[in-house]
Each structure stands twice: as C-alpha cells, then as structure tokens.
Amino acid sequence: TYIVNDACIACKYTDCVEVCPVDCFYEGENMLVIHPDECIDCGVCEPECPADAIRPDTEPDMEKWVEFNRKYSELW
Ligand code: SF4
C-alpha cells in the first residue's frame, strides 16, 4: 500500500486524488490520507505528488504512518 506523510500538510495539491483509480484518498482540513486497505498499490499517485509525501509502506519505519492513514481515512 501507499501512504501519505506529513510532507502533505498545507500542500494539498490534489493531482494524486484525480489519478487514483479506486478513489481511496480522504481529505482532512490540512492534509490528505490514503486508506491502506483500499489502496491497490498501483503507484500512479506517487509521481504526481510535488511534496514527495506519498510513499510505499515497504520503506523502513512506516507502521506509524500506515496506522495514521487508516485512522484518519476512517474518520474523514
Ligand atoms: Fe490510489 Fe494507486 Fe495511489 Fe493506491 S497507489 S492511493 S490505488 S493511486
């Protein structure tokens, strides 16, 4: 899965949302998140992000970001 990290805060350039084939981005007041169970891991959103805020969960120490994205995608 892909997740959004804090580099998104106050960016919210929403081209990632436009390209996602399964519509799994959720928008909060100051950032976006991805629902980790809905993301199909296609990767098309990653190059669209000018803030480099969308990362694959295969990078080190991503657990807290996966949980953050899950929590807020269910709240928003
Ligand atoms: Fe959507 Fe694909 Fe990005 Fe997952 S990797 S959030 S499915 S565009």
Side-chain angles (χ1 to χ4, degrees):
T1 186
Y2 281 73
I3 60 85
V4 182
N5 65 32
D6 55 356
C8 179
I9 293 173
C11 169
K12 288 217 306 182
Y13 184 82
T14 53
D15 279 32
C16 54
V17 178
E18 310 286 317
V19 299
C20 180
V22 294
D23 237 356
C24 64
F25 280 91
Y26 294 81
E27 186 169 0
E29 221 171 280
N30 61 3
M31 71 177 283
L32 302 166
V33 289
I34 292 170
H35 196 307
D37 300 332
E38 294 172 9
C39 172
I40 58 169
D41 225 9
C42 71
V44 301
C45 57
E46 186 187 346
E48 301 297 325
C49 180
D52 214 16
I54 302 174
R55 309 302 319 149
D57 74 342
T58 47
E59 291 185 349
D61 303 319
M62 293 297 270
E63 294 83 0
K64 80 170 178 153
W65 285 111
V66 174
E67 286 321 305
F68 180 95
N69 277 245
R70 175 176 284 113
K71 176 176 168 191
Y72 287 100
S73 46
E74 285 166 3
L75 282 175
W76 297 337

